[in-house]
Amino acid sequence: MSGPDISVVICVYTEDRWEDILAAVSSVRAQSYPALETLLVVDHNEALLERLTKEYKESEESEESEESEAGAGEVRVLANAGPRGLSAGRNTGIAASYGEVVAFLDDDAVAERDWLRHFAAGYADPRVMAVGGRTEPIWASGRRPHWFPEEFDWVVGCTYRGLPPGRVRVRNVLGGNASFRRTAFDFAGGFATGIGRDGDRLPLGCEETELCIRLTRARPDAVLLIDDRAVIHHRVPGPREHFRYFRTRTYAEGLSKALVARSVGADKGLESERRYATRVLPAGVARGLRDALLARPGGAGRAGAIVAGVLTAAGGYVVGSARARRGGAGYSVAAVEGAAGTEEAAGTEGGAGTEGGAGTEGGAG
């Protein structure tokens, strides 16, 4: 099959997601466009590392004794070689992988059968440095909470209302459903450590936004795409269906944007957010109020949640900006082993945000 070889990296950190991890790997091994390999990077959890190593060693031995799954690719289990957190785990996977393209899948998500096929198609254009996809929520309760606005699905790591359909050029891709040409890391270095997820602490992120902005600065001709046919389904656990989590995540998003804006400048760091805030969200409030007038369930709640989300994100941005002005700990961007990126440090402080929006000209970033 013509097209680039693709390595898939899945970062994992807890045995609580054991069944989800196995499902994620199975979805990769069932792809119509076979992955070259799947790398499970374990974030400083020896018990999980040992259990996964045993699981996939036995799986490989079983396949060798029978007819191997066609084109399934090797599954390798690795320990995060850097500090605790998602960014260092991804960098470990990049350094260990062999593919021309490196794709990332969340450990609590499953990919549709043609996920990698659509990624591969995007790289036919040599200018394309990254391709992301669409992430659909799987609600633990079986359905979307009536009050939860689709415009804020980025809160739970999913594609939100406001992104244009089809294959579109974007500022940044979503890290849980994304791929990068390997040479992108030669130009820009790896994911920044000091921001992003770190186990069960405050739900941080935005490392993919910062990387994508850094990449397009290093390569102004780079093209970054989202193809909404490259679909994954992402689990949303029960606690994340509640307003308390919604509020925490939107506040963290504000902290994150302050950090990114401090690093790359407000013009670039907030260009997508301005349109999202001035066009997408007002339209969402209007729809909610209309539904409330028509006595449809959740209309007023959705309108109120949008307003609350904007206010808490703004509060986080103010706090994050104040911290950044005072100086303090920064985050660092290290070269990925085997890549040509150089180490640098951004001397800012501030929490990172959520999984974040995809950052098209018409959405949140």
Side-chain angles (χ1 to χ4, degrees), residues 204-293:
L204 306 178
C206 218
E207 66 278 6
E208 65 273 3
T209 302
E210 191 276 337
L211 171 61
C212 290
I213 293 173
R214 184 163 21 100
L215 172 59
T216 52
R217 283 186 163 185
R219 283 291 302 268
D221 62 334
V223 174
L224 283 64
L225 302 173
I226 281 184
D227 187 336
D228 68 3
R229 299 170 299 173
V231 180
I232 70 170
H233 299 269
H234 184 272
R235 290 190 179 278
V236 181
R240 298 188 184 185
E241 295 186 7
H242 298 299
F243 183 72
R244 179 178 179 180
Y245 184 81
F246 179 90
R247 183 179 58 197
T248 300
R249 293 285 276 150
T250 52
Y251 178 76
E253 179 74 1
L255 293 173
S256 172
K257 296 310 176 190
L259 180 64
V260 173
R262 179 75 172 179
S263 175
V264 304
D267 286 346
K268 190 67 176 177
L270 299 176
E271 63 179 353
S272 299
E273 288 75 10
R274 292 189 182 96
R275 184 167 182 175
Y276 172 73
T278 58
R279 298 188 184 184
V280 175
L281 296 185
V285 171
R287 275 191 298 272
L289 294 176
R290 179 199 62 197
D291 288 348
L293 291 173

Coordinates of all heavy atoms in Angstrom, one line a residue, residues 204-293:
L204 N -4.4 19.7 32.8 CA -3.7 20.7 32.0 C -3.5 20.2 30.6 O -3.9 19.1 30.3 CB -2.3 20.9 32.7 CG -2.3 21.3 34.1 CD1 -0.9 21.5 34.6 CD2 -3.1 22.6 34.3
G205 N -2.9 21.0 29.8 CA -2.8 20.6 28.4 C -2.2 21.8 27.6 O -1.4 22.6 28.0
C206 N -2.6 21.9 26.3 CA -2.3 22.9 25.4 C -0.9 22.7 24.8 O -0.4 23.6 24.1 CB -2.4 24.3 26.0 SG -3.0 25.6 24.9
E207 N -0.2 21.6 25.1 CA 1.1 21.4 24.6 C 1.1 21.2 23.1 O 2.1 21.6 22.4 CB 1.8 20.2 25.3 CG 1.1 18.8 25.0 CD -0.1 18.6 25.9 OE1 -0.5 19.4 26.6 OE2 -0.6 17.4 25.8
E208 N 0.0 20.7 22.5 CA 0.0 20.5 21.1 C -0.2 21.9 20.4 O 0.3 22.1 19.3 CB -1.2 19.6 20.7 CG -2.6 20.0 21.0 CD -3.0 19.6 22.4 OE1 -2.2 19.0 23.1 OE2 -4.2 19.9 22.7
T209 N -1.0 22.8 21.0 CA -1.1 24.1 20.5 C 0.3 24.8 20.4 O 0.6 25.4 19.4 CB -2.1 25.0 21.3 OG1 -3.3 24.3 21.4 CG2 -2.2 26.4 20.8
E210 N 1.0 24.8 21.5 CA 2.3 25.4 21.5 C 3.3 24.8 20.5 O 4.0 25.5 19.8 CB 2.9 25.3 23.0 CG 4.1 26.1 23.2 CD 5.4 25.4 22.8 OE1 5.4 24.2 22.7 OE2 6.4 26.1 22.5
L211 N 3.2 23.5 20.4 CA 4.1 22.8 19.4 C 3.7 23.2 18.0 O 4.6 23.5 17.1 CB 4.0 21.3 19.5 CG 4.6 20.5 18.4 CD1 6.1 20.7 18.4 CD2 4.4 19.0 18.6
C212 N 2.4 23.3 17.7 CA 2.0 23.6 16.3 C 2.4 25.1 15.9 O 2.8 25.3 14.8 CB 0.5 23.4 16.1 SG 0.0 21.7 16.1
I213 N 2.3 26.0 16.9 CA 2.7 27.4 16.6 C 4.2 27.4 16.4 O 4.7 28.1 15.5 CB 2.2 28.3 17.8 CG1 0.7 28.4 17.8 CG2 2.8 29.7 17.6 CD1 0.1 29.1 19.0
R214 N 4.9 26.7 17.3 CA 6.4 26.7 17.1 C 6.8 26.1 15.8 O 7.7 26.6 15.1 CB 7.0 25.9 18.3 CG 8.4 25.8 18.3 CD 9.0 25.4 19.7 NE 8.1 24.6 20.5 CZ 8.1 23.3 20.6 NH1 8.9 22.6 19.9 NH2 7.2 22.7 21.5
L215 N 6.1 25.1 15.3 CA 6.4 24.4 14.1 C 6.1 25.4 12.9 O 7.0 25.5 12.0 CB 5.5 23.2 13.9 CG 5.5 22.5 12.5 CD1 6.9 22.0 12.2 CD2 4.5 21.3 12.5
T216 N 5.0 26.1 12.9 CA 4.8 27.0 11.8 C 5.7 28.2 11.8 O 5.9 28.9 10.8 CB 3.3 27.4 11.7 OG1 2.9 27.9 13.0 CG2 2.4 26.3 11.4
R217 N 6.2 28.6 13.0 CA 7.2 29.6 13.0 C 8.5 29.1 12.4 O 9.2 29.9 11.7 CB 7.5 30.1 14.5 CG 6.4 31.0 15.0 CD 6.7 31.5 16.4 NE 5.9 32.7 16.7 CZ 6.1 33.4 17.8 NH1 7.0 33.1 18.6 NH2 5.3 34.5 18.0
A218 N 8.9 27.9 12.7 CA 10.1 27.3 12.2 C 10.0 27.0 10.7 O 11.0 27.2 9.9 CB 10.5 26.0 12.9
R219 N 8.8 26.7 10.2 CA 8.5 26.4 8.8 C 7.3 27.1 8.4 O 6.2 26.6 8.5 CB 8.3 24.9 8.6 CG 9.6 24.0 8.6 CD 10.4 24.3 7.4 NE 9.7 24.1 6.1 CZ 9.6 22.9 5.5 NH1 10.3 21.9 5.9 NH2 8.9 22.8 4.4
P220 N 7.4 28.4 8.0 CA 6.2 29.2 7.6 C 5.4 28.6 6.5 O 4.2 28.9 6.4 CB 6.8 30.5 7.2 CG 8.1 30.6 7.9 CD 8.6 29.2 8.0
D221 N 6.0 27.7 5.7 CA 5.3 27.1 4.6 C 4.5 25.8 5.0 O 3.8 25.2 4.2 CB 6.2 26.7 3.5 CG 7.3 25.7 3.9 OD1 7.6 25.7 5.1 OD2 7.8 25.0 3.0
A222 N 4.7 25.4 6.3 CA 4.0 24.2 6.8 C 2.5 24.3 6.7 O 1.9 25.4 7.1 CB 4.5 23.9 8.2
V223 N 1.8 23.2 6.4 CA 0.4 23.1 6.3 C 0.0 22.1 7.4 O 0.5 21.0 7.5 CB -0.1 22.7 5.0 CG1 -1.6 22.4 5.0 CG2 0.3 23.7 3.9
L224 N -1.0 22.5 8.2 CA -1.6 21.7 9.3 C -3.0 21.5 9.0 O -3.7 22.5 8.7 CB -1.4 22.3 10.7 CG 0.0 22.2 11.3 CD1 1.1 23.0 10.5 CD2 -0.1 22.8 12.8
L225 N -3.5 20.3 9.0 CA -4.9 20.0 8.6 C -5.7 19.3 9.7 O -5.1 18.6 10.5 CB -4.9 19.1 7.3 CG -4.2 19.6 6.1 CD1 -4.2 18.5 5.0 CD2 -4.9 20.8 5.5
I226 N -7.0 19.4 9.6 CA -7.9 18.5 10.3 C -8.8 17.9 9.2 O -9.4 18.6 8.4 CB -8.7 19.2 11.4 CG1 -7.9 19.4 12.7 CG2 -10.0 18.4 11.8 CD1 -8.6 20.0 13.8
D227 N -8.9 16.6 9.2 CA -9.8 15.9 8.3 C -10.9 15.2 9.2 O -10.6 14.3 9.9 CB -9.0 14.8 7.5 CG -9.8 14.1 6.4 OD1 -11.0 14.1 6.5 OD2 -9.2 13.6 5.5
D228 N -12.1 15.6 9.0 CA -13.1 15.1 9.9 C -13.6 13.7 9.6 O -14.4 13.2 10.3 CB -14.3 16.1 10.0 CG -15.1 16.2 8.7 OD1 -14.8 15.5 7.7 OD2 -16.1 17.0 8.7
R229 N -13.0 13.1 8.6 CA -13.3 11.7 8.3 C -12.4 10.8 9.2 O -12.6 9.5 9.2 CB -13.0 11.4 6.8 CG -14.0 12.2 5.9 CD -13.5 12.0 4.5 NE -12.2 12.5 4.3 CZ -11.5 12.4 3.1 NH1 -12.0 11.7 2.1 NH2 -10.2 12.9 3.0
A230 N -11.3 11.3 9.8 CA -10.4 10.5 10.6 C -11.0 10.5 12.0 O -10.6 11.4 12.8 CB -9.0 11.1 10.6
V231 N -11.8 9.6 12.3 CA -12.7 9.7 13.5 C -12.2 8.7 14.6 O -11.9 7.6 14.3 CB -14.1 9.3 13.2 CG1 -15.0 9.4 14.4 CG2 -14.7 10.3 12.1
I232 N -12.2 9.2 15.8 CA -12.0 8.4 17.0 C -13.2 8.7 18.0 O -13.8 9.7 17.9 CB -10.7 8.6 17.7 CG1 -10.6 10.0 18.4 CG2 -9.5 8.5 16.8 CD1 -9.5 10.2 19.4
H233 N -13.4 7.7 18.9 CA -14.5 7.8 19.9 C -13.8 7.8 21.2 O -13.1 6.9 21.6 CB -15.5 6.7 19.7 CG -16.1 6.7 18.3 ND1 -17.3 7.4 18.1 CD2 -15.8 6.1 17.2 CE1 -17.7 7.2 16.8 NE2 -16.7 6.5 16.2
H234 N -14.1 8.9 22.0 CA -13.4 9.1 23.2 C -14.3 9.0 24.4 O -15.4 9.6 24.4 CB -12.8 10.6 23.2 CG -12.0 11.0 24.3 ND1 -12.5 11.5 25.5 CD2 -10.6 10.9 24.5 CE1 -11.6 11.8 26.3 NE2 -10.4 11.4 25.8
R235 N -13.9 8.2 25.4 CA -14.8 8.0 26.6 C -14.8 9.3 27.5 O -13.7 9.9 27.7 CB -14.3 6.8 27.4 CG -14.5 5.5 26.8 CD -14.2 4.4 27.7 NE -14.5 3.1 27.1 CZ -15.7 2.5 27.0 NH1 -16.7 3.1 27.5 NH2 -15.8 1.3 26.4
V236 N -16.0 9.6 27.9 CA -16.1 10.7 28.9 C -16.6 10.1 30.2 O -17.8 9.7 30.3 CB -17.1 11.8 28.4 CG1 -17.2 12.9 29.4 CG2 -16.7 12.3 27.0
P237 N -15.8 10.0 31.2 CA -16.2 9.3 32.5 C -17.3 10.2 33.2 O -17.4 11.4 33.0 CB -15.0 9.2 33.3 CG -14.0 10.2 32.7 CD -14.4 10.3 31.3
G238 N -18.0 9.6 34.1 CA -19.1 10.2 34.8 C -18.7 11.5 35.4 O -19.5 12.5 35.2
P239 N -17.6 11.6 36.2 CA -17.3 12.9 36.8 C -17.1 14.1 35.9 O -17.3 15.2 36.3 CB -16.0 12.6 37.6 CG -16.1 11.1 37.8 CD -16.7 10.5 36.6
R240 N -16.8 13.8 34.6 CA -16.6 14.8 33.7 C -17.9 15.3 33.0 O -17.8 16.3 32.2 CB -15.6 14.4 32.6 CG -14.2 14.1 33.2 CD -13.2 13.8 32.1 NE -11.9 13.4 32.8 CZ -10.8 13.2 32.1 NH1 -10.7 13.4 30.8 NH2 -9.7 12.9 32.8
E241 N -19.0 14.7 33.4 CA -20.3 15.2 32.9 C -20.9 16.2 33.8 O -21.9 16.7 33.5 CB -21.2 14.0 32.7 CG -20.8 12.9 31.7 CD -21.8 11.9 31.5 OE1 -22.9 12.0 32.1 OE2 -21.5 10.9 30.8
H242 N -20.2 16.5 34.9 CA -20.7 17.5 35.9 C -20.2 18.9 35.7 O -19.1 19.1 35.2 CB -20.5 17.0 37.3 CG -21.1 15.6 37.6 ND1 -22.5 15.4 37.5 CD2 -20.6 14.4 37.9 CE1 -22.7 14.2 37.8 NE2 -21.6 13.5 38.0
F243 N -21.0 19.9 36.1 CA -20.6 21.2 35.9 C -19.3 21.6 36.7 O -18.5 22.4 36.2 CB -21.7 22.2 36.4 CG -21.4 23.6 36.2 CD1 -21.4 24.1 34.9 CD2 -21.1 24.5 37.2 CE1 -21.1 25.5 34.6 CE2 -20.8 25.8 37.0 CZ -20.8 26.3 35.7
R244 N -19.0 20.9 37.8 CA -17.8 21.2 38.5 C -16.6 21.0 37.7 O -15.6 21.8 37.7 CB -17.8 20.4 39.8 CG -16.5 20.6 40.6 CD -16.5 19.7 41.9 NE -15.3 19.9 42.7 CZ -15.1 19.3 43.8 NH1 -16.0 18.5 44.3 NH2 -14.0 19.5 44.5
Y245 N -16.6 19.9 36.9 CA -15.4 19.6 36.1 C -15.4 20.6 34.9 O -14.3 21.1 34.5 CB -15.5 18.2 35.5 CG -14.3 17.8 34.7 CD1 -13.1 17.4 35.2 CD2 -14.4 17.9 33.3 CE1 -12.0 17.0 34.5 CE2 -13.3 17.5 32.5 CZ -12.1 17.1 33.1 OH -11.0 16.8 32.3
F246 N -16.5 20.9 34.4 CA -16.6 21.9 33.3 C -16.0 23.2 33.7 O -15.2 23.8 33.0 CB -18.1 22.1 33.0 CG -18.4 23.1 31.9 CD1 -18.5 22.7 30.5 CD2 -18.6 24.5 32.2 CE1 -18.7 23.7 29.5 CE2 -18.9 25.4 31.2 CZ -19.0 25.0 29.9
R247 N -16.3 23.6 34.9 CA -15.7 24.9 35.4 C -14.2 24.8 35.6 O -13.5 25.7 35.3 CB -16.4 25.2 36.8 CG -16.0 26.6 37.4 CD -16.8 26.8 38.7 NE -16.6 25.7 39.6 CZ -17.4 25.4 40.6 NH1 -18.4 26.1 40.9 NH2 -17.1 24.4 41.4
T248 N -13.8 23.7 36.2 CA -12.3 23.5 36.4 C -11.6 23.5 35.1 O -10.5 24.1 34.9 CB -12.1 22.2 37.1 OG1 -12.7 22.2 38.4 CG2 -10.6 21.9 37.3
R249 N -12.1 22.8 34.1 CA -11.4 22.7 32.8 C -11.4 24.1 32.1 O -10.4 24.4 31.4 CB -12.2 21.7 31.9 CG -12.0 20.3 32.4 CD -10.7 19.7 32.2 NE -10.6 19.2 30.9 CZ -9.4 19.1 30.2 NH1 -8.3 19.6 30.6 NH2 -9.4 18.6 29.0
T250 N -12.5 24.8 32.1 CA -12.5 26.1 31.4 C -11.5 27.1 32.1 O -10.9 27.9 31.4 CB -13.9 26.7 31.3 OG1 -14.5 26.7 32.6 CG2 -14.8 25.9 30.4
Y251 N -11.5 27.0 33.4 CA -10.5 27.9 34.2 C -9.1 27.5 33.8 O -8.3 28.4 33.5 CB -10.7 27.7 35.7 CG -9.7 28.5 36.5 CD1 -9.9 29.9 36.7 CD2 -8.6 27.9 37.1 CE1 -9.0 30.6 37.4 CE2 -7.7 28.6 37.9 CZ -7.9 30.0 38.0 OH -7.0 30.7 38.8
A252 N -8.8 26.2 33.7 CA -7.5 25.8 33.3 C -7.2 26.2 31.9 O -6.0 26.5 31.5 CB -7.4 24.3 33.4
E253 N -8.2 26.3 31.0 CA -8.0 26.7 29.6 C -7.5 28.2 29.6 O -6.6 28.5 28.8 CB -9.2 26.6 28.8 CG -9.1 27.0 27.4 CD -8.4 26.1 26.5 OE1 -7.9 25.1 27.0 OE2 -8.2 26.4 25.3
G254 N -8.1 29.0 30.5 CA -7.6 30.4 30.6 C -6.2 30.4 31.0 O -5.4 31.2 30.5
L255 N -5.8 29.7 32.0 CA -4.4 29.6 32.5 C -3.5 29.2 31.3 O -2.4 29.8 31.1 CB -4.2 28.6 33.6 CG -4.9 28.9 34.9 CD1 -4.7 27.7 35.9 CD2 -4.3 30.1 35.6
S256 N -3.9 28.2 30.5 CA -3.1 27.8 29.4 C -2.9 28.8 28.4 O -1.8 29.0 27.9 CB -3.9 26.6 28.8 OG -3.2 26.2 27.6
K257 N -4.0 29.5 28.0 CA -3.9 30.5 27.0 C -2.9 31.7 27.4 O -2.3 32.2 26.6 CB -5.3 31.1 26.6 CG -6.2 30.1 26.0 CD -5.5 29.3 24.9 CE -6.5 28.2 24.4 NZ -5.8 27.3 23.4
A258 N -2.9 32.0 28.7 CA -2.0 33.0 29.2 C -0.6 32.5 29.0 O 0.3 33.3 28.6 CB -2.3 33.3 30.6
L259 N -0.3 31.3 29.2 CA 1.0 30.7 29.1 C 1.5 30.8 27.6 O 2.6 31.2 27.2 CB 1.1 29.3 29.6 CG 2.4 28.6 29.5 CD1 3.5 29.3 30.3 CD2 2.3 27.1 29.9
V260 N 0.6 30.3 26.7 CA 0.9 30.3 25.3 C 1.0 31.7 24.7 O 2.0 32.0 24.0 CB -0.2 29.5 24.5 CG1 0.0 29.6 23.0 CG2 -0.2 28.0 24.9
A261 N 0.1 32.6 25.1 CA 0.2 34.0 24.6 C 1.5 34.7 25.1 O 2.1 35.4 24.4 CB -1.0 34.8 25.1
R262 N 1.9 34.4 26.3 CA 3.1 35.0 26.8 C 4.3 34.5 26.0 O 5.3 35.2 25.8 CB 3.3 34.6 28.3 CG 4.5 35.1 29.0 CD 4.5 36.5 29.3 NE 5.6 37.0 30.1 CZ 5.8 38.2 30.5 NH1 4.9 39.2 30.2 NH2 6.8 38.6 31.2
S263 N 4.3 33.2 25.6 CA 5.4 32.6 24.9 C 5.4 33.0 23.4 O 6.5 33.4 22.9 CB 5.3 31.1 25.0 OG 6.3 30.5 24.2
V264 N 4.3 33.0 22.7 CA 4.3 33.2 21.3 C 3.7 34.6 20.9 O 3.7 34.9 19.7 CB 3.6 32.1 20.6 CG1 4.2 30.7 20.9 CG2 2.1 32.1 20.9
G265 N 3.2 35.3 21.9 CA 2.5 36.6 21.6 C 1.0 36.4 21.5 O 0.5 35.4 21.0
A266 N 0.3 37.4 21.9 CA -1.2 37.3 21.9 C -1.8 37.2 20.5 O -2.8 36.6 20.3 CB -1.8 38.5 22.7
D267 N -1.1 37.9 19.5 CA -1.7 37.9 18.2 C -1.8 36.4 17.7 O -2.8 36.0 17.2 CB -0.8 38.7 17.2 CG -1.0 40.2 17.5 OD1 -1.9 40.6 18.2 OD2 -0.1 41.0 17.0
K268 N -0.7 35.7 17.8 CA -0.7 34.3 17.3 C -1.4 33.4 18.3 O -2.2 32.5 18.0 CB 0.7 33.8 17.1 CG 0.8 32.5 16.4 CD 0.3 32.6 14.9 CE 0.5 31.3 14.2 NZ -0.1 31.4 12.8
G269 N -1.1 33.6 19.6 CA -1.7 32.7 20.6 C -3.2 32.7 20.8 O -3.8 31.8 21.3
L270 N -3.8 33.9 20.4 CA -5.2 34.0 20.6 C -6.0 34.3 19.3 O -7.2 34.7 19.4 CB -5.5 35.1 21.6 CG -4.9 35.0 23.0 CD1 -5.1 36.2 23.9 CD2 -5.5 33.7 23.7
E271 N -5.4 34.2 18.2 CA -6.0 34.5 17.0 C -7.3 33.7 16.7 O -8.3 34.3 16.3 CB -5.1 34.4 15.8 CG -4.6 33.0 15.5 CD -3.7 32.9 14.3 OE1 -3.5 33.9 13.6 OE2 -3.1 31.8 14.0
S272 N -7.3 32.4 17.0 CA -8.5 31.6 16.8 C -9.5 31.8 17.8 O -10.7 31.8 17.6 CB -8.0 30.1 16.8 OG -7.1 29.9 15.7
E273 N -9.1 32.1 19.1 CA -10.0 32.3 20.2 C -10.8 33.5 20.0 O -12.0 33.5 20.4 CB -9.2 32.4 21.5 CG -8.6 31.0 21.9 CD -7.4 30.6 21.2 OE1 -6.9 31.4 20.3 OE2 -6.9 29.5 21.3
R274 N -10.3 34.5 19.4 CA -11.1 35.7 19.2 C -12.3 35.5 18.3 O -13.4 35.9 18.7 CB -10.2 36.8 18.5 CG -9.1 37.3 19.4 CD -8.4 38.6 18.8 NE -7.4 39.0 19.7 CZ -6.1 38.7 19.5 NH1 -5.8 37.9 18.5 NH2 -5.1 39.1 20.3
R275 N -12.2 34.8 17.2 CA -13.3 34.5 16.4 C -14.3 33.5 17.1 O -15.5 33.7 17.0 CB -12.8 33.9 15.1 CG -14.0 33.7 14.1 CD -13.5 33.4 12.7 NE -14.6 33.3 11.8 CZ -14.4 33.1 10.5 NH1 -13.2 33.1 9.9 NH2 -15.5 32.9 9.7
Y276 N -13.7 32.5 17.8 CA -14.5 31.6 18.5 C -15.4 32.3 19.5 O -16.6 32.1 19.7 CB -13.6 30.6 19.2 CG -14.2 29.7 20.2 CD1 -15.0 28.6 19.8 CD2 -14.0 29.8 21.6 CE1 -15.6 27.7 20.7 CE2 -14.5 28.9 22.5 CZ -15.3 27.9 22.0 OH -15.9 27.0 22.9
A277 N -14.8 33.3 20.2 CA -15.5 34.0 21.3 C -16.5 35.0 20.7 O -17.5 35.3 21.4 CB -14.5 34.7 22.2
T278 N -16.2 35.6 19.6 CA -17.1 36.6 19.0 C -18.2 36.1 18.0 O -19.2 36.8 17.8 CB -16.3 37.7 18.3 OG1 -15.5 37.1 17.3 CG2 -15.4 38.4 19.3
R279 N -18.0 34.9 17.5 CA -19.0 34.4 16.6 C -19.6 33.0 17.0 O -20.8 32.9 17.0 CB -18.3 34.2 15.2 CG -17.7 35.4 14.6 CD -17.3 35.2 13.2 NE -16.7 36.4 12.6 CZ -16.2 36.5 11.3 NH1 -16.3 35.4 10.5 NH2 -15.7 37.6 10.9
V280 N -18.8 32.1 17.4 CA -19.3 30.8 17.7 C -20.1 30.8 19.0 O -21.2 30.3 19.0 CB -18.2 29.7 17.8 CG1 -18.7 28.4 18.2 CG2 -17.5 29.6 16.4
L281 N -19.6 31.4 20.0 CA -20.2 31.3 21.3 C -21.5 32.2 21.4 O -22.5 31.7 21.9 CB -19.2 31.7 22.4 CG -18.1 30.8 22.6 CD1 -17.2 31.2 23.8 CD2 -18.5 29.3 22.8
P282 N -21.5 33.4 20.8 CA -22.8 34.1 20.8 C -23.9 33.4 20.1 O -25.1 33.4 20.5 CB -22.4 35.5 20.1 CG -21.0 35.7 20.4 CD -20.4 34.3 20.4
A283 N -23.5 32.7 19.0 CA -24.5 31.9 18.3 C -25.0 30.8 19.1 O -26.2 30.5 19.1 CB -23.9 31.4 17.0
G284 N -24.2 30.2 19.9 CA -24.6 29.1 20.8 C -25.5 29.6 21.9 O -26.5 28.9 22.3
V285 N -25.2 30.8 22.5 CA -26.1 31.4 23.5 C -27.5 31.6 22.9 O -28.5 31.3 23.5 CB -25.5 32.7 24.0 CG1 -26.6 33.4 24.9 CG2 -24.3 32.4 24.8
A286 N -27.5 32.2 21.6 CA -28.8 32.5 21.0 C -29.6 31.2 20.7 O -30.8 31.2 20.9 CB -28.5 33.2 19.6
R287 N -28.9 30.1 20.3 CA -29.6 28.8 20.1 C -30.2 28.3 21.5 O -31.3 27.8 21.5 CB -28.7 27.8 19.6 CG -28.6 27.8 18.0 CD -27.8 26.6 17.5 NE -26.5 26.6 18.0 CZ -25.4 27.2 17.4 NH1 -25.6 27.8 16.3 NH2 -24.2 27.0 18.0
G288 N -29.4 28.5 22.5 CA -29.9 28.0 23.8 C -31.1 28.8 24.3 O -32.1 28.2 24.8
L289 N -31.1 30.1 24.1 CA -32.2 30.9 24.5 C -33.4 30.6 23.7 O -34.6 30.6 24.2 CB -31.8 32.4 24.5 CG -30.7 32.8 25.5 CD1 -30.4 34.3 25.2 CD2 -31.2 32.6 26.9
R290 N -33.2 30.4 22.4 CA -34.4 30.0 21.5 C -35.0 28.7 22.0 O -36.2 28.6 22.0 CB -33.8 29.9 20.1 CG -34.9 29.5 19.1 CD -34.3 29.0 17.8 NE -33.5 27.8 18.1 CZ -32.6 27.3 17.2 NH1 -32.3 27.9 16.1 NH2 -32.0 26.2 17.5
D291 N -34.1 27.7 22.3 CA -34.6 26.4 22.7 C -35.4 26.6 24.1 O -36.4 25.9 24.3 CB -33.5 25.4 22.9 CG -32.9 25.0 21.5 OD1 -33.6 25.2 20.5 OD2 -31.9 24.3 21.5
A292 N -34.9 27.5 24.9 CA -35.6 27.7 26.2 C -37.0 28.3 25.9 O -38.0 27.9 26.6 CB -34.8 28.7 27.1
L293 N -37.1 29.2 25.0 CA -38.4 29.8 24.7 C -39.3 28.8 24.1 O -40.6 28.9 24.2 CB -38.2 31.0 23.7 CG -37.5 32.2 24.3 CD1 -37.2 33.3 23.2 CD2 -38.4 32.9 25.4

